[in-house]
Amino acid sequence: MTVEFETLDYDIGGVKTVVKAIGQGKPVLFLHGAATLEGFDFAEGLADRFRVLLPSHPGMGFSGPAPHVGDLTDLLLHYLNLLDAKNLPEKPHLMGFSMGGWMATELAALAREKFDKVVLIAPAGLNDPAHPATPLAGIAPQDFPSYMTHDVTVALKYFPDGTDAAFAEQFGADRAREGDLVGRLCAPFGMGHPNLKRFMQRITNPTLLVWGAEDRLLPASQAPVWLANLPNAQFLSVPATGHLVAQERPETLKSIGDFLAA
């Protein structure tokens, strides 16, 4: 039986906010990364046990423009307002990937009482000079797929291959639109916050940190720093896997689901 995604539309502070939803059960709020090129199909791996809520950030993906966004604080407020609008019947779990992991970290630190468990997948935000992220501006466009997954064939299906001009044009327009929003979020300190370790220390929620061992964008060598500052965390290292953990290793979703269900 195929599980279909629902499309839910909200007006959050004047911003059209689109939430894709799939599955039934306890809600899981998922915050995506700095692009939506890989889509949300991975969530089917959690839909047998959870109601997965997949909003597009304002100014990204399916959501409408958000010219007011100046930094991450605006998005934290946006998601608190979205939770108020949804009025969920029970406290949701919180998941964040990459840039969304940075968002989830700050959101859980500021409003930990609103969430049950937390899952951070290859989170951005630390900006640790001893474990530097790869500067996106230094990656040639044709090299991006090899930075996204350890097995480049997994990432290539999300990128134009030169056979579909319309897809390539739309892909470029989408990345430019999303890049504008990401640029505003990163203007103060880059892809993170200099005090993020202090934020982490407030997250008393049970937390699972997940990282691809071969991540070329955000090195898994950051993981011990996260674990040293998260009060109640465990670690899942995924071997032979790059940045797009859920897409490259869909079986990881079962381990994540087991953690959330326990």
Side-chain angles (χ1 to χ4, degrees), residues 227-259:
L227 295 170
N229 288 280
L230 289 164
N232 188 11
Q234 53 188 279
F235 182 46
L236 175 60
S237 177
V238 188
T241 303
H243 193 56
L244 293 179
V245 175
Q247 288 73 25
E248 190 165 13
R249 300 288 177 215
E251 62 271 22
T252 306
L253 274 298
K254 182 182 185 305
S255 299
I256 292 172
D258 289 346
F259 166 78

Side-chain angles (χ1 to χ4, degrees), residues 25-108:
K26 186 176 176 72
V28 177
L29 176 66
F30 176 82
L31 304 181
H32 67 75
T36 59
L37 59 91
E38 70 273 18
F40 297 120
D41 286 350
F42 78 92
E44 293 178 6
L46 293 169
D48 59 334
R49 290 188 278 181
F50 303 97
R51 171 75 164 169
V52 190
L53 305 170
L54 305 130
S56 291
H57 303 323
M60 300 182 72
F62 300 106
S63 290
H68 69 284
V69 171
D71 60 21
L72 192 71
T73 305
D74 290 310
L75 286 198
L76 302 182
L77 181 63
H78 175 86
Y79 281 116
L80 291 174
N81 287 337
L82 177 63
L83 286 174
D84 287 347
K86 288 198 68 62
N87 191 27
L88 296 169
E90 57 184 320
K91 190 181 296 188
H93 299 307
L94 177 64
M95 287 181 64
F97 163 65
S98 194
M99 187 181 79
W102 167 31
M103 292 182 196
T105 300
E106 293 204 21
L107 191 58

